[in-house]
Amino acid sequence: MSAPYTLVLLRHGQSTWNQQNLFTGWVDVRLSEQGTTEAARAGVLLKDADLLPDVLHTSLLSRAIQTANLALEEADRMWIPVKRSWRLNERHYGGLQGLDKAATQAKFGQEQFMLWRRSYDTPPPVLDDSSEFSQAHDPRYADLGPDLPRTECLKDVVERMLPYWQSDIAPDLRAGKTVLVTAHGNSLRALVKHLDGISDADIAELNIPTGIPLVYQLGEDLMPLGPGQYLDPEAAAAGAAAVAAQGNKK
Ligand SMILES: O=C(O)[C@@H](CO)OP(=O)(O)O
C-alpha cells in the first residue's frame, strides 16, 4: 500500500487515580466512571469520522485495554486483531507511584516536581521491589528480566517505545491498515515527540488529554504529512490544560 497512512492515538479515559490526582505509572488501576464514558465517546468520535481501526496496539495496563474495548465496541470493531506490549506502558514513575501530586509539589517544591514530572531526562527516585506499588513480582512482566524498569524519565520511554513502533506498528501502517494505538499520557508524549520532531526542552509543554482520539496522516517515511488532529479539539484543549494543572489541584 502507499501513503498516506492513518494512525490514531488514544490516551485511556480518566482512571480512578487520575481522578484522585495520584502518580500512577505502572500501577494497574482501572477507569473511573467518567473514564468509561470518555472511552465510549472516543469510539463514537471514531465512527462519526469514519475512522474505523483495522488493528489495535495497546499497553499491558488495564486502563488502556478497557478504553480500547469500550471504544471499539461503540465503533463496532471489537473483532480487529490486537497486539499488546509493555513497551507502550505508561512511564514507570518510580518512587512517586502512589503519591498525591499536589502533596508532592507542596513537599518538594514546584521546580523539583516539574523536573520529575516533565523534564526529558531526570527520572524520579527508584521504586524498591518491596513496595506495594512495585511491579517486580507482577506475572505480566515475568519475561522482562533486567528490562523491567524501577523508574523512568521520558527519554527512557522513548528508548523502549521506539523499537516497538519500528518492529510492530510500522509494518501494520505500511500494509495500509488504520492503526489504533491505545496507551498513556507519557508513552504517547514519547511517540508524539518522535512524530512531530519536538525538542527535548519543548516536550515539557505537551500534555495529552484523556479519551480523545488524535489522528495523523503519515507519509511513506511514516512521518506526519501535517499536524495531528484531535477529533474534538475543544475538549482536547480543556483536557490538556487540566493535565498540566494537576500539581496545583487541591
Ligand atoms: O501519573 C501518571 O502516571 C501520569 C499520567 O496519569 O501523570 P503525569 O501527567 O503527572 O505524568
Side-chain angles (χ1 to χ4, degrees), residues 141-226:
Y141 307 117
D143 295 338
L144 258 63
D147 280 340
L148 182 89
R150 278 142 179 107
T151 186
E152 289 181 309
C153 57
L154 191 64
K155 185 167 185 271
D156 296 323
V157 180
V158 169
E159 285 168 8
R160 53 103 155 147
M161 184 276 305
L162 277 182
Y164 185 78
W165 167 258
Q166 300 294 357
S167 66
D168 287 79
I169 301 178
D172 282 342
L173 288 164
R174 289 215 165 86
K177 296 184 192 306
T178 295
V179 175
L180 174 63
V181 176
T182 305
H184 303 266
N186 294 297
S187 52
L188 291 176
R189 288 175 70 238
L191 185 47
V192 168
K193 182 182 191 298
H194 166 73
L195 292 172
D196 289 344
I198 301 173
S199 72
D200 296 358
D202 289 350
I203 192 62
E205 304 306 318
L206 181 80
N207 288 290
I208 308 257
T210 52
I212 303 176
L214 172 58
V215 183
Y216 281 93
Q217 299 297 331
L218 307 177
E220 281 307 336
D221 57 356
L222 296 187
M223 296 306 273
L225 296 169

Side-chain angles (χ1 to χ4, degrees), residues 42-120:
V44 174
L45 288 170
L46 289 174
K47 196 175 176 179
D48 288 352
D50 206 20
L51 280 163
L52 299 176
D54 297 309
V55 61
L56 165 69
H57 293 263
T58 77
S59 70
L60 298 187
L61 291 165
S62 301
R63 56 195 186 272
I65 295 168
Q66 280 184 289
T67 297
N69 290 349
L70 290 162
L72 291 174
E73 180 156 22
E74 287 296 328
D76 200 14
R77 304 290 278 193
M78 293 187 81
W79 49 269
I80 63 173
V82 182
K83 286 180 207 159
R84 309 190 196 283
S85 173
W86 70 274
R87 292 182 185 275
L88 294 175
N89 269 20
E90 182 53 292
R91 162 155 85 116
H92 193 296
Y93 245 117
L96 300 184
Q97 291 189 168
L99 299 185
D100 180 90
K101 290 183 185 177
T104 303
Q105 171 158 290
K107 182 170 174 190
F108 293 96
Q110 201 203 8
E111 197 177 330
Q112 181 63 63
F113 174 78
M114 285 312 290
L115 209 61
W116 280 333
R117 195 169 174 233
R118 288 293 177 264
S119 77
Y120 187 55

